[in-house]
Amino acid sequence: MRSGAIPFQFEIEDVLRGFLKSANGRTSSILLTLPFINVRVLPSTIETRVAAQLVIRASDRRVLSAQECCDECINDALRSLQEMRAEFVAKQIEVLDVRDGPLYRLIELMLVGIRQFLTFEQRLIKPKRSDDPTLPVDTRQAYFDGLELLRGHLSRCLGQLAVLAGINVPSDGLISGYQGVWQIDAYKPVDCGNWTN
């Protein structure tokens, strides 16, 4: 069902800049691999605990591992994404005291992806005629391709959350299917050369 097309690109430069505030060069720090940059961080105890919770909960999210085929599947995926978004916001609030830390920023990176996908989806799915409730084939395909980009983005972020939590990446489901290098063409280019603390 996936065509491999890139129907939109994530804009993440501002979030990546924020990771500079989380950077820590201590020998005990851990390396996070993100699109365009790698950063060493030293998470707090609460960050490692909450990161583990997020990885475990997200592993059961069907939207990140299911294969859509119809308009009802699209509705189910959107509902699940909204639930996931609410959970991410709740966890961001939980770690508000360490908002300059790496966990807050990783959650923000996931939320940015969800928000941008939902904006893409809203522009894509225009009001339908009342006598024909199905989406046109090209619209449905663009939606599926966009959702595939979001799955890759969220899964790789969750993989980095597992690194932050010090736990193994789950061996099945959403995360394992999207590990490896980030799909850079899914992101608007970022020029890190001019960044300063």
Side-chain angles (χ1 to χ4, degrees):
M1 195 61 127
R2 308 303 182 267
S3 72
I6 308 287
F8 76 100
Q9 290 180 302
F10 298 107
E11 295 181 42
I12 61 169
E13 183 168 354
D14 289 342
V15 180
L16 292 181
R17 282 179 186 264
F19 274 97
L20 294 179
K21 294 179 183 175
S22 303
N24 187 314
R26 293 186 186 155
T27 56
S28 58
S29 63
I30 59 173
L31 181 67
L32 293 181
T33 303
L34 304 166
F36 306 107
I37 65 168
N38 295 327
V39 62
R40 296 197 75 78
V41 297
L42 192 59
S44 67
T45 303
I46 189 172
E47 287 177 298
T48 56
R49 180 180 55 78
V50 172
Q53 291 172 0
L54 282 170
V55 171
I56 292 165
R57 287 184 180 154
S59 296
D60 266 352
R61 287 291 181 174
R62 189 173 185 279
V63 66
L64 295 178
S65 60
Q67 297 297 314
E68 290 75 24
C69 61
C70 63
D71 292 350
E72 188 57 35
C73 291
I74 289 174
N75 294 335
D76 290 344
L78 291 172
R79 189 171 28 260
S80 183
L81 276 174
Q82 292 291 7
E83 292 167 1
M84 183 179 282
R85 179 178 168 179
E87 188 173 311
F88 288 161
V89 169
K91 289 302 181 183
Q92 240 184 349
I93 291 168
E94 190 174 330
V95 296
L96 198 57
D97 288 344
V98 286
R99 66 181 162 270
D100 284 338
L103 177 59
Y104 189 92
R105 307 239 183 253
L106 273 172
I107 295 171
E108 185 60 24
L109 188 59
M110 291 187 291
L111 286 170
V112 162
I114 292 172
R115 285 192 294 264
Q116 290 175 9
F117 170 77
L118 291 173
T119 299
F120 161 76
E121 180 271 336
Q122 289 167 354
R123 290 180 181 152
L124 181 68
I125 300 178
K126 298 183 176 28
K128 299 177 274 189
R129 295 187 342 234
S130 60
D131 61 334
D132 183 10
T134 61
L135 290 173
V137 173
D138 60 336
T139 300
R140 188 181 297 123
Q141 185 61 55
Y143 169 84
F144 290 151
D145 289 335
L147 183 58
E148 188 67 12
L149 289 181
L150 180 62
R151 281 186 174 130
H153 173 75
L154 292 176
S155 295
R156 288 178 181 97
C157 286
L158 288 164
Q160 293 306 298
L161 278 177
V163 170
L164 198 67
I167 62 175
N168 291 329
V169 174
S171 60
D172 63 345
L174 70 129
I175 299 173
S176 63
Y178 293 94
Q179 290 310 293
V181 297
W182 292 81
Q183 185 179 358
I184 293 299
D185 56 349
Y187 301 90
K188 290 206 172 174
V190 171
D191 180 11
C192 308
N194 298 329
W195 292 2
T196 59
N197 284 331

XYZ file of all heavy atoms in Angstrom, residues 85-170:
690
model
N -0.881 11.594 21.332
C -0.488 12.998 21.524
C -0.833 13.458 22.935
O -0.015 14.086 23.609
C -1.218 13.844 20.475
C -0.955 15.304 20.535
C -1.715 15.954 19.401
N -1.769 17.387 19.513
C -2.365 18.159 18.636
N -2.961 17.643 17.577
N -2.388 19.452 18.799
N -2.030 13.127 23.416
C -2.441 13.505 24.767
C -1.529 12.873 25.819
O -1.154 13.519 26.805
C -3.896 13.103 25.000
N -1.151 11.627 25.595
C -0.250 10.953 26.528
C 1.126 11.607 26.545
O 1.725 11.796 27.602
C -0.127 9.482 26.142
C 0.635 8.658 27.147
C 0.592 7.180 26.805
O -0.501 6.664 26.535
O 1.671 6.565 26.809
N 1.644 11.971 25.372
C 2.945 12.639 25.307
C 2.905 13.981 26.036
O 3.837 14.331 26.760
C 3.380 12.845 23.860
C 3.799 11.590 23.141
C 3.842 11.560 21.763
C 4.151 10.441 23.822
C 4.227 10.420 21.078
C 4.538 9.283 23.154
C 4.575 9.278 21.773
N 1.834 14.742 25.856
C 1.707 16.032 26.544
C 1.673 15.819 28.055
O 2.321 16.544 28.817
C 0.460 16.805 26.052
C 0.181 18.008 26.945
C 0.646 17.252 24.609
N 0.928 14.812 28.515
C 0.860 14.519 29.952
C 2.245 14.189 30.505
O 2.601 14.631 31.610
C -0.110 13.364 30.209
N 3.035 13.436 29.748
C 4.388 13.090 30.212
C 5.313 14.306 30.171
O 6.201 14.438 31.012
C 4.966 11.942 29.383
C 4.295 10.617 29.653
C 4.399 10.228 31.114
C 3.761 8.889 31.406
N 3.798 8.543 32.833
N 5.090 15.199 29.214
C 5.889 16.423 29.185
C 5.611 17.251 30.431
O 6.523 17.826 31.024
C 5.561 17.240 27.930
C 6.738 17.455 27.044
C 6.445 18.338 25.844
O 5.308 18.659 25.522
N 7.485 18.717 25.168
N 4.356 17.304 30.831
C 3.988 18.030 32.049
C 4.641 17.371 33.261
O 5.126 18.048 34.167
C 2.451 18.097 32.193
C 1.877 19.012 31.101
C 2.046 18.573 33.588
C 0.383 18.947 30.942
N 4.702 16.049 33.263
C 5.305 15.314 34.381
C 6.786 15.649 34.556
O 7.296 15.627 35.675
C 5.125 13.812 34.151
C 5.483 12.958 35.336
C 5.158 11.496 35.117
O 4.208 11.177 34.381
O 5.877 10.655 35.685
N 7.478 15.955 33.460
C 8.913 16.257 33.550
C 9.191 17.753 33.340
O 10.300 18.130 32.959
C 9.741 15.396 32.563
C 9.638 13.939 32.921
C 9.341 15.652 31.118
N 8.203 18.569 33.633
C 8.337 20.012 33.427
C 9.503 20.610 34.211
O 10.148 21.555 33.756
C 7.022 20.715 33.801
C 6.807 22.111 33.286
C 6.896 22.157 31.763
C 5.457 22.643 33.740
N 9.797 20.047 35.366
C 10.910 20.572 36.175
C 12.266 20.359 35.511
O 13.234 21.020 35.881
C 10.914 19.921 37.564
C 9.758 20.419 38.435
O 9.148 21.455 38.091
O 9.461 19.755 39.445
N 12.339 19.437 34.572
C 13.590 19.208 33.847
C 13.357 19.448 32.349
O 13.806 18.679 31.509
C 14.160 17.784 34.114
C 14.749 17.693 35.503
C 13.104 16.716 33.891
N 12.670 20.541 32.036
C 12.303 20.805 30.630
C 13.486 21.150 29.747
O 13.360 21.157 28.531
C 11.218 21.868 30.539
C 11.610 23.240 30.985
C 10.432 24.193 30.863
N 10.603 25.388 31.643
C 10.223 25.543 32.904
N 9.653 24.550 33.541
N 10.426 26.668 33.536
N 14.633 21.436 30.338
C 15.840 21.621 29.520
C 16.573 20.303 29.312
O 17.627 20.267 28.685
C 16.789 22.635 30.174
C 16.297 24.068 29.987
O 15.519 24.303 29.040
O 16.674 24.935 30.791
N 16.007 19.229 29.827
C 16.622 17.916 29.699
C 16.266 17.231 28.396
O 15.379 17.663 27.651
N 16.930 16.130 28.119
C 16.740 15.439 26.842
C 15.361 14.794 26.668
O 14.851 14.720 25.549
C 17.840 14.383 26.837
C 18.183 14.172 28.278
C 17.967 15.494 28.947
N 14.726 14.332 27.752
C 13.430 13.683 27.609
C 12.366 14.658 27.132
O 11.605 14.363 26.204
C 12.988 13.033 28.924
C 11.596 12.392 28.865
C 11.527 11.310 27.794
C 11.195 11.838 30.218
N 12.310 15.815 27.737
C 11.335 16.834 27.328
C 11.502 17.142 25.841
O 10.541 17.233 25.094
C 11.514 18.094 28.170
C 10.430 19.117 27.990
C 9.315 19.120 28.823
C 10.519 20.084 26.993
C 8.310 20.069 28.663
C 9.522 21.027 26.832
C 8.423 21.018 27.667
O 7.427 21.963 27.497
N 12.739 17.241 25.411
C 13.020 17.565 24.007
C 12.654 16.410 23.071
O 12.145 16.639 21.973
C 14.486 17.918 23.840
C 14.935 18.998 24.809
C 15.472 20.202 24.150
N 15.940 21.137 25.154
C 15.302 22.255 25.455
N 14.193 22.567 24.843
N 15.779 23.071 26.369
N 12.910 15.172 23.481
C 12.520 14.033 22.651
C 11.001 13.946 22.520
O 10.480 13.652 21.440
C 13.069 12.723 23.233
C 14.472 12.330 22.798
C 14.968 11.130 23.597
C 14.524 12.044 21.311
N 10.306 14.203 23.616
C 8.841 14.212 23.546
C 8.383 15.317 22.600
O 7.490 15.112 21.781
C 8.214 14.374 24.943
C 8.536 13.168 25.826
C 6.700 14.566 24.832
C 8.140 13.342 27.295
N 9.022 16.475 22.693
C 8.658 17.589 21.799
C 8.919 17.226 20.339
O 8.144 17.572 19.454
C 9.422 18.860 22.179
C 9.024 20.078 21.381
C 7.551 20.464 21.526
O 6.912 20.119 22.532
O 7.035 21.119 20.596
N 10.005 16.501 20.085
C 10.306 16.068 18.723
C 9.191 15.153 18.189
O 8.803 15.244 17.028
C 11.658 15.347 18.692
C 12.235 14.978 17.337
C 12.434 16.214 16.455
C 13.556 14.234 17.507
N 8.655 14.305 19.050
C 7.539 13.442 18.640
C 6.259 14.256 18.449
O 5.526 14.050 17.480
C 7.333 12.320 19.663
C 8.474 11.318 19.658
S 8.193 9.881 20.708
C 8.277 10.599 22.326
N 6.002 15.192 19.361
C 4.796 16.018 19.249
C 4.820 16.892 18.002
O 3.801 17.064 17.334
C 4.629 16.884 20.506
C 4.165 16.157 21.759
C 4.274 17.063 22.975
C 2.744 15.645 21.587
N 5.977 17.438 17.671
C 6.110 18.243 16.452
C 5.743 17.394 15.237
O 5.019 17.836 14.344
C 7.545 18.816 16.332
C 7.863 19.258 14.923
C 7.725 19.983 17.283
N 6.235 16.161 15.205
C 5.907 15.265 14.101
C 4.415 14.991 13.999
O 3.833 15.040 12.906
N 3.783 14.730 15.135
C 2.336 14.458 15.130
C 1.569 15.687 14.684
O 0.662 15.603 13.837
C 1.862 13.982 16.513
C 2.437 12.596 16.819
C 0.331 13.949 16.581
C 2.185 12.112 18.248
N 1.916 16.854 15.237
C 1.199 18.093 14.856
C 1.340 18.370 13.360
O 0.367 18.720 12.692
C 1.735 19.276 15.670
C 1.258 19.300 17.101
C 1.573 20.618 17.793
N 2.983 20.869 17.963
C 3.668 20.598 19.063
N 3.095 20.046 20.104
N 4.951 20.884 19.133
N 2.544 18.213 12.842
C 2.755 18.500 11.420
C 2.049 17.476 10.537
O 1.524 17.827 9.484
C 4.248 18.586 11.123
C 4.871 19.823 11.749
C 6.368 19.903 11.585
O 6.993 19.132 10.869
N 6.971 20.874 12.260
N 2.000 16.215 10.964
C 1.249 15.223 10.203
C -0.243 15.560 10.216
O -0.912 15.469 9.181
C 1.460 13.815 10.758
C 0.527 12.820 10.146
C 0.754 12.324 8.869
C -0.619 12.410 10.817
C -0.131 11.428 8.278
C -1.506 11.510 10.241
C -1.261 11.021 8.971
N -0.781 15.942 11.372
C -2.202 16.267 11.462
C -2.548 17.484 10.605
O -3.615 17.531 9.984
C -2.624 16.464 12.917
C -2.610 15.191 13.774
C -2.881 15.525 15.234
C -3.588 14.162 13.247
N -1.652 18.462 10.546
C -1.867 19.615 9.661
C -1.881 19.164 8.206
O -2.747 19.574 7.426
C -0.777 20.681 9.887
O -0.854 21.133 11.238
C -0.945 21.855 8.938
N -0.935 18.313 7.837
C -0.891 17.755 6.483
C -2.188 17.015 6.184
O -2.798 17.199 5.130
C 0.316 16.812 6.362
C 0.239 15.846 5.215
C 0.478 16.258 3.912
C -0.084 14.508 5.442
C 0.395 15.364 2.848
C -0.165 13.607 4.386
C 0.074 14.041 3.089
N -2.628 16.193 7.118
C -3.840 15.394 6.926
C -5.065 16.285 6.762
O -5.922 16.035 5.918
C -4.005 14.440 8.118
C -5.218 13.543 8.047
C -6.459 14.147 8.668
O -6.342 15.031 9.536
O -7.558 13.744 8.275
N -5.169 17.347 7.561
C -6.332 18.234 7.472
C -6.377 18.959 6.138
O -7.443 19.173 5.579
C -6.319 19.226 8.633
C -6.642 18.569 9.952
C -6.339 19.455 11.136
O -5.785 20.537 11.008
N -6.690 18.971 12.322
N -5.218 19.328 5.630
C -5.185 19.987 4.316
C -5.471 18.994 3.193
O -6.030 19.362 2.164
C -3.819 20.634 4.097
C -3.591 21.826 4.972
C -2.228 22.431 4.734
N -2.032 23.552 5.616
C -0.865 23.969 6.055
N 0.236 23.353 5.662
N -0.778 24.984 6.863
N -5.069 17.765 3.397
C -5.214 16.729 2.378
C -6.663 16.268 2.230
O -7.187 16.139 1.127
C -4.331 15.529 2.755
C -4.313 14.344 1.813
C -3.630 14.733 0.508
C -3.584 13.185 2.470
N -7.305 16.019 3.351
C -8.654 15.462 3.333
C -9.653 16.613 3.378
O -9.980 17.136 4.429
C -8.847 14.477 4.501
C -7.839 13.344 4.350
C -10.270 13.956 4.537
C -7.866 12.314 5.437
N -10.081 16.995 2.223
C -11.023 18.092 2.081
C -12.433 17.573 2.352
O -12.675 16.381 2.320
C -10.921 18.669 0.673
C -9.544 19.239 0.380
C -9.498 19.858 -0.979
C -8.205 20.526 -1.305
N -7.010 20.096 -0.732
N -13.383 18.490 2.586
C -14.761 18.023 2.804
C -15.221 17.144 1.646
O -15.026 17.463 0.476
C -15.565 19.326 2.860
C -14.578 20.369 3.254
C -13.255 19.934 2.678
N -15.813 16.019 2.024
C -16.261 15.057 1.031
C -17.712 15.336 0.640
O -18.476 15.882 1.425
C -16.147 13.637 1.595
C -14.737 13.255 1.965
C -14.694 11.885 2.570
C -14.977 12.009 4.051
N -14.773 10.791 4.784
N -18.063 14.909 -0.561
C -19.454 15.019 -0.990
C -20.290 14.077 -0.132
O -19.886 12.963 0.158
C -19.586 14.614 -2.458
C -18.874 15.535 -3.406
C -19.174 15.211 -4.862
N -19.727 13.891 -5.087
C -19.214 13.010 -5.930
N -18.135 13.291 -6.611
N -19.784 11.838 -6.105
N -21.471 14.519 0.219
C -22.316 13.708 1.092
C -22.773 12.415 0.422
O -23.029 11.432 1.099
C -23.530 14.512 1.550
O -24.280 14.925 0.420
N -22.858 12.406 -0.920
C -23.310 11.192 -1.599
C -22.175 10.201 -1.856
O -22.406 9.097 -2.318
C -24.014 11.541 -2.917
C -23.090 12.258 -3.893
O -22.134 12.916 -3.428
O -23.330 12.166 -5.108
N -20.928 10.583 -1.541
C -19.786 9.690 -1.728
C -18.835 9.861 -0.547
O -17.949 10.723 -0.566
C -19.062 9.998 -3.040
C -17.916 9.034 -3.294
O -17.802 8.026 -2.553
O -17.141 9.284 -4.224
N -19.002 9.057 0.510
C -18.207 9.238 1.718
C -16.772 8.724 1.633
O -15.996 8.925 2.549
C -18.990 8.451 2.768
C -19.670 7.384 1.982
C -19.984 7.998 0.638
N -16.382 8.087 0.538
C -15.021 7.544 0.443
C -14.039 8.594 -0.060
O -14.403 9.515 -0.788
C -14.990 6.328 -0.502
O -15.408 6.739 -1.794
C -15.888 5.219 0.011
N -12.803 8.416 0.321
C -11.742 9.315 -0.136
C -11.295 8.919 -1.534
O -11.258 7.733 -1.857
C -10.537 9.237 0.801
C -10.703 9.826 2.194
C -9.483 9.497 3.029
C -10.928 11.314 2.127
N -10.889 9.905 -2.347
C -10.302 9.552 -3.646
C -9.035 8.725 -3.435
O -8.324 8.873 -2.433
C -9.965 10.912 -4.264
C -10.803 11.896 -3.518
C -11.001 11.333 -2.149
N -8.729 7.869 -4.393
C -7.589 6.956 -4.278
C -6.284 7.710 -4.066
O -5.464 7.332 -3.220
C -7.502 6.043 -5.528
C -6.227 5.218 -5.515
C -8.717 5.143 -5.606
N -6.061 8.802 -4.800
C -4.800 9.538 -4.657
C -4.694 10.211 -3.292
O -3.614 10.284 -2.708
C -4.615 10.541 -5.798
C -5.726 11.579 -5.872
O -6.848 11.309 -5.385
O -5.481 12.666 -6.427
N -5.817 10.682 -2.752
C -5.819 11.284 -1.417
C -5.499 10.235 -0.365
O -4.689 10.462 0.536
C -7.188 11.936 -1.118
O -7.438 12.938 -2.092
C -7.224 12.541 0.268
N -6.121 9.082 -0.481
C -5.869 7.992 0.458
C -4.401 7.568 0.400
O -3.765 7.356 1.420
C -6.786 6.804 0.160
C -6.699 5.719 1.222
C -7.592 4.525 0.931
N -8.982 4.890 0.927
C -9.809 4.700 -0.118
N -9.362 4.136 -1.221
N -11.070 5.050 -0.040
N -3.842 7.487 -0.807
C -2.440 7.079 -0.951
C -1.507 8.109 -0.318
O -0.540 7.755 0.359
C -2.079 6.871 -2.415
C -0.674 6.327 -2.634
C -0.479 4.977 -1.979
O -1.231 4.053 -2.227
N 0.535 4.854 -1.127
N -1.773 9.389 -0.538
C -0.948 10.433 0.073
C -1.026 10.354 1.601
O -0.017 10.521 2.297
C -1.377 11.808 -0.427
N -2.225 10.088 2.119
C -2.384 9.925 3.564
C -1.541 8.750 4.062
O -0.814 8.869 5.044
C -3.856 9.703 3.926
C -4.025 9.266 5.355
C -4.060 10.188 6.385
C -4.075 7.912 5.682
C -4.167 9.775 7.709
C -4.176 7.497 6.997
C -4.227 8.430 7.999
O -4.309 8.021 9.300
N -1.637 7.600 3.393
C -0.872 6.427 3.800
C 0.629 6.709 3.767
O 1.372 6.307 4.662
C -1.194 5.224 2.917
C -2.578 4.660 3.112
C -3.222 4.023 2.071
C -3.243 4.759 4.327
C -4.495 3.488 2.238
C -4.514 4.233 4.507
C -5.148 3.593 3.458
N 1.090 7.405 2.722
C 2.510 7.736 2.616
C 2.935 8.685 3.745
O 4.015 8.530 4.316
C 2.815 8.359 1.256
C 2.734 7.350 0.118
O 2.916 6.144 0.366
O 2.468 7.778 -1.031
N 2.083 9.663 4.064
C 2.385 10.577 5.162
C 2.423 9.862 6.502
O 3.294 10.108 7.340
N 1.474 8.955 6.703
C 1.447 8.185 7.951
C 2.692 7.306 8.061
O 3.250 7.141 9.151
C 0.182 7.335 8.031
C 0.001 6.526 9.315
C -0.011 7.424 10.548
C -1.289 5.707 9.234
N 3.148 6.773 6.956
C 4.372 5.959 6.975
C 5.575 6.803 7.402
O 6.433 6.339 8.172
C 4.609 5.349 5.590
C 5.727 4.357 5.540
C 5.467 3.081 6.332
O 4.328 2.826 6.757
O 6.443 2.345 6.551
N 5.652 8.054 6.927
C 6.731 8.950 7.375
C 6.645 9.178 8.878
O 7.656 9.163 9.590
C 6.640 10.298 6.654
C 6.992 10.345 5.184
C 6.854 11.771 4.662
C 8.392 9.829 4.942
N 5.406 9.424 9.355
C 5.223 9.666 10.788
C 5.605 8.433 11.607
O 6.243 8.554 12.647
C 3.780 10.072 11.086
C 3.476 10.361 12.557
C 4.309 11.538 13.068
C 1.984 10.630 12.753
N 5.240 7.262 11.131
C 5.615 6.027 11.840
C 7.131 5.914 11.966
O 7.654 5.565 13.015
C 5.096 4.806 11.094
C 3.655 4.542 11.310
C 3.258 3.232 10.640
N 1.898 2.928 10.973
C 0.972 2.616 10.087
N 1.264 2.533 8.802
N -0.255 2.355 10.478
N 7.835 6.174 10.881
C 9.291 6.112 10.928
C 9.861 7.117 11.911
O 10.756 6.805 12.703
N 9.323 8.335 11.884
C 9.787 9.398 12.782
C 9.550 9.011 14.242
O 10.467 9.050 15.062
C 9.059 10.699 12.433
C 9.322 11.813 13.382
N 10.502 12.514 13.401
C 8.542 12.348 14.366
C 10.451 13.443 14.350
N 9.270 13.354 14.952
N 8.322 8.626 14.562
C 7.992 8.287 15.948
C 8.750 7.054 16.425
O 9.227 7.016 17.564
C 6.482 8.071 16.097
C 5.605 9.309 15.927
C 4.133 8.938 16.009
C 5.950 10.381 16.949
N 8.880 6.079 15.575
C 9.566 4.851 15.968
C 11.043 5.093 16.255
O 11.594 4.562 17.218
C 9.402 3.783 14.894
O 8.048 3.422 14.780
N 11.678 5.906 15.426
C 13.100 6.214 15.673
C 13.251 7.069 16.931
O 14.201 6.891 17.691
C 13.708 6.871 14.451
C 13.900 5.866 13.314
C 14.469 6.496 12.046
N 14.592 5.498 11.003
C 13.683 5.300 10.032
N 12.603 6.059 9.978
N 13.859 4.366 9.126
N 12.306 7.984 17.163
C 12.312 8.762 18.414
C 12.153 7.830 19.613
O 12.850 7.982 20.622
C 11.190 9.795 18.419
S 11.444 11.227 17.358
N 11.235 6.876 19.504
C 11.031 5.921 20.595
C 12.275 5.055 20.802
O 12.602 4.685 21.934
C 9.796 5.063 20.329
C 8.469 5.812 20.488
C 7.330 5.045 19.836
C 8.182 6.093 21.953
N 12.983 4.756 19.735
C 14.251 4.046 19.864
C 15.252 4.855 20.676
O 15.985 4.313 21.507
N 15.268 6.166 20.463
C 16.158 7.034 21.236
C 15.673 7.176 22.676
O 16.474 7.320 23.596
C 16.298 8.401 20.552
C 17.013 8.343 19.216
C 18.360 7.662 19.314
O 19.261 8.114 20.010
N 18.510 6.533 18.624
N 14.352 7.112 22.888
C 13.825 7.089 24.256
C 14.309 5.833 24.980
O 14.621 5.883 26.175
C 12.297 7.115 24.256
C 11.626 8.463 24.095
C 10.115 8.294 24.055
C 12.012 9.421 25.204
N 14.355 4.707 24.268
C 14.855 3.468 24.867
C 16.321 3.630 25.263
O 16.733 3.170 26.334
C 14.678 2.300 23.898
N 17.096 4.288 24.422
C 18.500 4.571 24.759
C 18.550 5.424 26.021
O 19.321 5.145 26.947
C 19.214 5.279 23.582
C 20.580 5.802 23.997
C 19.335 4.339 22.394
N 17.733 6.459 26.077
C 17.680 7.355 27.230
C 17.295 6.594 28.494
O 17.838 6.839 29.568
C 16.656 8.465 26.956
C 16.710 9.714 27.797
C 17.985 10.490 27.521
C 15.500 10.579 27.509
N 16.354 5.648 28.351
C 15.875 4.878 29.495
C 16.831 3.757 29.893
O 16.688 3.174 30.962
C 14.505 4.287 29.171
N 17.785 3.438 29.012
C 18.701 2.352 29.302
C 18.050 0.989 29.187
O 18.423 0.042 29.869
N 17.044 0.882 28.309
C 16.362 -0.396 28.103
C 16.574 -0.852 26.664
O 16.941 -0.050 25.798
C 14.851 -0.314 28.418
C 14.139 0.688 27.497
C 14.629 0.038 29.877
C 12.629 0.743 27.659
N 16.342 -2.111 26.421
C 16.460 -2.635 25.066
C 15.282 -2.175 24.220
O 14.156 -2.086 24.712
C 16.500 -4.166 25.074
C 17.769 -4.705 25.683
O 18.822 -4.079 25.594
N 17.677 -5.855 26.312
N 15.560 -1.936 22.963
C 14.493 -1.618 22.025
C 13.657 -2.876 21.853
O 14.202 -3.957 21.674
C 15.091 -1.166 20.667
C 14.001 -0.982 19.631
C 15.896 0.105 20.838
N 12.327 -2.763 21.939
C 11.498 -3.957 21.737
C 11.853 -4.660 20.433
O 12.144 -4.024 19.425
C 10.078 -3.381 21.697
C 10.168 -2.130 22.512
C 11.538 -1.579 22.240
